[in-house]
Amino acid sequence: MSVSQGAQFTGQTVLRRVRRSILPAAFLLYAFNYMDRAAISYAQLGMSAELGISLATYGTVAAIFFIAYTTLEIPSNIMMKKVGARVWLARIAVTWGIVTILTGFVQNTTHLYIARIALGAAEAGLYPGLLLFMTFWFRSEERSRAFAHVSFAQPVALLIGSATAGVILDQADWFGLSSWRWVFILQGIPPVLLGVWIFLTLADRPSKAKWLSKNEADWLEGEITNEYRAEDNGQLTSLSVIKNPRILHLALINLMYAIGLNGMTFYMPQIVKQLNPDYSATNIGLVGAIPYVFGAIAMLLVARYSDLLGSRKPLVMATLVVAVVGLVVTTIFRDTPLLGMVGLSLLAMGVFSYLGPFWALATEALTRAQTAVGLAMINAIAAAGGFFGPFVIGRTAAADDVILGLLFPAVSMSLGIVLLIFLKPAAKTPAASTGSI
């Protein structure tokens, strides 16, 4: 883009301020979001016996969260665009925190089903809302790293959640409540406080940021707007999204990926326990955190390379290949703890490093009018993978061999690789003009 040397300097100053002000809030929101969503995977180690939950029932309980979550994704993003990110993201955080706390008091399987559906409704729209929020603040050349910094919260949350949940299960037994209940209660409090902070401090877009001058805000919004060549009125109906082949193509790719991601997220404790049945809950939590360390490192490195390279699709394909290899290694060597952990680490590296380049690819393949509803649609369909992944794994895994169920996500992500081969850039988008897909 042609700008003066002074504007370039001002631009870099603006971008540094944006990174310092916007990314921490987005990171914390997604970190606590994913920690609360996955809390059930560790609570299950104690909850199953107390509530009488089988592996198949647990798979259904984990999966049912995604029914309300998927249904409300698009309405949530539309609402956020109307009322603003500050109000809507704060509302999401407070409500999911309250639901998580209340989950610690369920008395039977029916209560648990209701709590999971309520959590899905409360959380719906957060991730696509954050993605849409990023498009208001970052140009396409910085977007993959911005998405990766937000998505980096996912492995960090799972790492911290894994390490702390195991300790809570072994140590917390307060006020007559079982330790698994404290996993939900203690992890539900922070997002309520975070939601209040977001409401008080977050700026919806550059023009509303008190820490930017008018010239700086105008420059940034102009840079972002100029990347979208399509002349439109910013409107896109849900019906037109459903009929849009490019959005459906991206959504199907993400669906295949999500099956693998959620299979790992909701079954990591059981997989680690199967690799070494002698582990205590604390050991399961600490050892289960190891793959997330490798995943977090891989995510940042791949996202940086993605922005430098500019070509997203080959990197997305490569991340899925690594994830599939990890699943196959874990399945083959499920009786060898060390090699099994190598496989889980490869899986984590693949699924987490996928996020930055894929969402950058998705935003570059859509016009400005398509981003709000389009991103929500892509994520909503992928959320169906959150249902089918845990549900099918729970149904296909043997009572003493949950790892056998990992064949399903391996096949699904392999199909995602095939679908990527046929993805082409759309006309009148940043990707079409730069060839970045």
Side-chain angles (χ1 to χ4, degrees):
M1 259 163 244
S2 177
V3 290
S4 68
Q5 187 67 31
Q8 287 178 357
F9 175 79
T10 302
Q12 291 303 313
T13 301
V14 171
L15 293 174
R16 282 195 297 271
R17 290 179 185 172
V18 167
R19 286 192 290 267
R20 288 197 302 264
S21 302
I22 297 302
L23 290 181
F27 176 90
L28 288 173
L29 274 168
Y30 196 47
F32 285 114
N33 173 259
Y34 222 84
M35 191 181 299
D36 286 358
R37 184 189 306 183
I40 193 171
S41 66
Y42 286 91
Q44 187 267 346
L45 294 173
M47 178 179 65
S48 294
E50 186 171 327
L51 299 184
I53 298 175
S54 66
L55 186 62
T57 301
Y58 166 71
T60 306
V61 168
I64 203 170
F65 161 91
F66 291 94
I67 294 178
Y69 184 85
T70 302
T71 304
L72 297 175
E73 285 277 80
I74 292 176
S76 179
N77 242 30
I78 293 174
M79 184 61 68
M80 191 184 96
K81 197 168 184 180
K82 289 182 178 179
V83 305
R86 179 179 62 87
V87 172
W88 199 244
L89 293 176
R91 192 282 306 165
I92 291 175
V94 171
T95 53
W96 102 60
I98 292 172
V99 171
T100 301
I101 293 170
L102 293 176
T103 304
F105 297 94
V106 298
Q107 297 300 314
N108 52 52
T109 306
T110 301
H111 291 172
L112 191 57
Y113 279 131
I114 294 171
R116 293 297 291 178
I117 293 172
L119 185 63
E123 289 189 13
L126 178 72
Y127 192 61
L130 289 174
L131 293 175
L132 176 62
F133 187 52
M134 293 297 102
T135 68
F136 296 155
W137 290 93
F138 293 94
R139 301 176 299 181
S140 61
E141 61 197 80
E142 296 104 13
R143 207 169 287 157
S144 181
R145 277 171 288 181
F147 289 162
H149 276 84
V150 175
S151 300
F152 183 63
Q154 197 175 104
V156 170
L158 291 172
L159 191 162
I160 296 173
S162 176
T164 58
V167 174
I168 293 171
L169 285 172
D170 278 342
Q171 303 298 328
D173 188 13
W174 309 318
F175 305 107
L177 295 176
S178 302
S179 59
W180 66 265
R181 297 182 183 277
W182 285 105
V183 172
F184 292 114
I185 295 169
L186 293 178
Q187 293 189 3
I189 295 172
V192 176
L193 302 177
L194 178 62
V196 175
W197 177 66
I198 290 294
F199 179 77
L200 295 175
T201 63
L202 193 68
D204 291 329
R205 55 177 67 237
S207 59
K208 295 185 178 181
K210 295 179 180 179
W211 37 270
L212 289 178
S213 68
K214 186 178 185 304
N215 288 339
E216 290 170 334
D218 289 344
W219 173 84
L220 181 56
E221 292 199 352
E223 288 280 292
I224 294 171
T225 300
N226 289 339
E227 290 183 336
Y228 294 88
R229 296 185 174 185
E231 292 294 331
D232 55 63
N233 60 6
Q235 302 298 317
L236 189 67
T237 66
S238 298
L239 181 61
S240 65
V241 169
I242 295 173
K243 294 180 178 179
N244 187 298
R246 182 164 309 282
I247 293 175
L248 289 175
H249 195 153
L250 287 163
L252 286 174
I253 293 168
N254 211 32
L255 168 63
M256 297 297 105
Y257 156 80
I259 290 173
L261 169 67
N262 288 287
M264 178 189 71
T265 300
F266 290 108
Y267 285 94
M268 180 68 81
Q270 292 91 327
I271 295 170
V272 174
K273 185 175 182 179
Q274 182 178 331
L275 290 175
N276 193 331
D278 295 330
Y279 279 153
S280 66
T282 299
N283 288 334
I284 291 172
L286 294 176
V287 173
I290 293 173
Y292 300 132
V293 174
F294 287 100
I297 294 171
M299 169 184 278
L300 293 181
L301 293 177
V302 170
R304 179 172 179 78
Y305 184 66
S306 172
D307 279 341
L308 293 174
L309 183 66
S311 182
R312 318 290 188 184
K313 189 169 80 171
L315 277 178
V316 179
M317 293 175 67
T319 62
L320 290 181
V321 169
V322 172
V324 171
V325 170
L327 282 166
V328 172
V329 170
T330 303
T331 303
I332 293 175
F333 297 103
R334 59 185 180 275
D335 295 323
T336 308
L338 179 59
L339 292 178
M341 287 303 299
V342 170
L344 288 176
S345 297
L346 288 173
L347 171 61
M349 291 170 68
V351 296
F352 291 127
S353 58
Y354 162 98
L355 291 167
F358 173 80
W359 286 110
L361 183 154
T363 59
E364 291 170 2
L366 303 176
T367 66
R368 173 59 106 186
Q370 295 171 333
T371 54
V373 179
L375 291 175
M377 185 69 176
I378 293 169
N379 200 60
I381 292 179
F387 176 85
F388 289 113
F391 181 81
V392 173
I393 291 174
R395 296 290 172 177
T396 58
D400 59 347
D401 191 0
V402 66
I403 295 177
L404 184 63
L406 298 182
L407 292 175
F408 174 62
V411 172
S412 298
M413 288 196 291
S414 298
L415 291 175
I417 296 170
V418 175
L419 288 169
L420 271 164
I421 294 173
F422 299 99
L423 181 66
K424 302 294 182 184
K428 297 182 179 181
T429 66
S433 61
T434 63
S436 63
I437 290 183

